Amino acid sequence: MLSSTARTRILAASLEYLFVTLLVTLTFPLAQATDSLSGPRLQSPRAVPVIPHNIQQDLGRRLSKDALVVLPSSPSFSALSRRWQDGGRPTYGVIVVPANEKDVSESVKYANKHSLPFLATVGGHGTYYGMEKMQNGMGIYLRNLTKLKVNPDEKSAQIGGGLRVEDVISGLWKKGKQTLTGTCDCVGATSPALGGGHGFLQGQFGLPTDQVLSARVVLGNGEIITVSEKEHKDLYWGIRGAGHNFGIVTEMKYKIYDVTKPEWSYIYFTFQGHQIEELYTVLNGMMQYQPAHAIHWSVWMKNETADPLHPVISNSILFNGPLSDLMTYAQPLLALPNIDVFSGTTIYPGLAAVAGYTSDGYLCQYKGKLALWPADVETYEIAAMRNWYNMFDTMVNTEPALAGSFCLLEGYSTQAVEQVPEETTAYALRKEKLLFAPIIHYMPTGNTTLDTVAANWGATMREAARGTQPKRSYVNYAQGNETVQEIYGYEPWRINKLKGLKKKYDPKGQFNFFAPIA
């Protein structure tokens, strides 16, 4: 058995991926060239945007009295521009903190007038490397758009675009309600839905994107529109899965649900690398009867306390139900030899504290450089799992600078996800039951050789993880070199429809810094 200190480290690291789960944070920018077959490509150099010298006064008088226009010389600028990690970092010459939707619109209009690229953020956790093409532009920090109101029908709520996960989970829980969000307290609450999203409750209620009943969107020309089944129905389809491409979402009308099963249980196992084959054979079997209220995850990582030579496998189940039922369900895993196992119970808002990813916790703090290399697949290919693990083992033992990297293997329930017809939203990955991601993590040194080494390992491990399965990648985890088809689907009708929406609603490519369609 491990000490409590070692156990805490395993638990925190094994759920660190939750911090990067549903990372994207309302990121909506200007012009990055793409290729429909090969994904983003490098642009030719262009002039650095010039911030008007009187922008505080000139823009400020167009905004509400509570809005802020913040320059780099301000003491608050550093905090407002801070990001979780440095990979693909955009830079700002000015940051606007709007107090309301109209302020967002006026900021976009001003940026257009002065040829400034713009990027809207909430939590600053997006890891898409194309964002680094945003240089010296306008940041639009949405954090003050904090409406959270349960509607009279008590089946929906208005959720502001500036809210974070902890705001929504705790706010709704106090009213006996819950809904789909990301899983780490400090990331944006509504933004994952723009790329489909994943969450604890998806097996029961569908993806975050399936909860969106309508949205208020600021387009690239500053126009404010509502999208729903009745208004701009075409864009309503598009924002649910490819929403980063079309505008700044300031508010959503979102499905909510009564809390009928408040108890959550969890169990964590630590296995060794030589158990790859037997562990994932068991998990393939459990996938055949995985209930809608159970979530499986694995995290591979170095933990010299548990195994001084090779990465360990932290495997966990989160379960919306009593611990006794979880223990029955987990019997196939309990039958395997393990280094350690522990379990417990909590409630939905308590999952963050159990995992160590509360806003003031370690996992929400600055992480140096980090790049995800996502691969969505339908099954654990055992030979591919062994190949991937061996590569990871070699990397962390031969590249000391990359030894803090880890691999995530997320196995959400998909019953309610698959009940939604594929053609009804832009999200194209409903059949993929597993989300893999080698995550390369290191501290920035200015050493471009290390950046190249890190990228090569990430790309190589992603291909190994896929095995013989098709190339598909979750857009909210996208690295930046994926093809459009890999992210948004291989069906020609789907890509053509998205390109048509892009031409109609973002003809100037103003929202092209994050996984652009065209």
Side-chain angles (χ1 to χ4, degrees), residues 347-380:
I347 58 175
Y348 189 47
L351 288 172
V354 168
Y357 55 89
T358 54
S359 287
D360 58 353
Y362 166 76
L363 300 180
C364 278
Q365 309 312 309
Y366 174 70
K367 284 290 174 289
K369 275 197 171 183
L370 183 147
L372 287 80
W373 294 82
D376 288 63
V377 299
E378 293 189 34
T379 188
Y380 300 103

Side-chain angles (χ1 to χ4, degrees), residues 17 33 62 138 146 149 173 180 345 363 386 408 431 452 488:
Y17 85 94
R62 304 164 191 257
M138 176 188 289
T146 56
K149 179 184 177 182
W173 191 264
L180 272 291
T345 62
L363 300 180
R386 168 54 64 191
L408 309 180
K431 292 182 179 179
T452 300
Y488 294 115

Side-chain angles (χ1 to χ4, degrees), residues 7 21 31-32 46 93 114 166 175 187 189 196 240 256 270 277 286 294 297 312 333 352 420 439 478 505 509:
R7 228 179 225 187
T21 297
Q32 167 191 333
R46 53 178 171 167
H114 296 276
E166 63 181 335
K175 299 178 183 295
V187 303
R240 292 175 297 151
I256 59 174
T270 304
E277 287 80 5
M286 294 181 75
W297 290 309
V312 298
L333 293 173
V420 177
I439 299 181
Y505 289 102

Side-chain angles (χ1 to χ4, degrees), residues 65-107:
K65 63 181 179 63
D66 294 323
L68 300 174
V69 179
V70 183
L71 296 175
S73 57
S74 169
S76 62
F77 187 88
S78 177
L80 291 173
S81 60
R82 184 178 300 130
R83 298 189 63 79
W84 174 55
Q85 62 88 36
D86 286 331
R89 173 182 285 277
T91 66
Y92 308 112
V94 62
I95 294 177
V96 180
V97 185
N100 55 47
E101 180 180 79
K102 186 174 184 297
D103 289 340
V104 178
S105 172
E106 290 298 325
S107 298

Side-chain angles (χ1 to χ4, degrees), residues 379-444:
T379 188
Y380 300 103
E381 281 193 4
I382 303 303
M385 301 298 287
R386 168 54 64 191
N387 189 26
W388 176 17
Y389 175 88
N390 288 348
M391 288 182 182
F392 180 64
D393 186 12
T394 298
M395 185 192 77
V396 297
N397 281 304
T398 60
E399 301 284 355
L402 308 181
S405 302
F406 50 103
C407 297
L408 309 180
L409 300 86
E410 308 175 34
Y412 297 94
S413 305
T414 60
Q415 287 88 333
V417 176
E418 295 184 50
Q419 288 174 6
V420 177
E422 286 188 313
E423 70 274 9
T424 59
T425 71
Y427 185 73
L429 304 179
R430 292 184 183 274
K431 292 182 179 179
E432 280 63 40
K433 298 180 183 298
L434 299 168
L435 172 54
F436 296 163
I439 299 181
I440 311 302
H441 176 217
Y442 57 103
M443 298 308 293

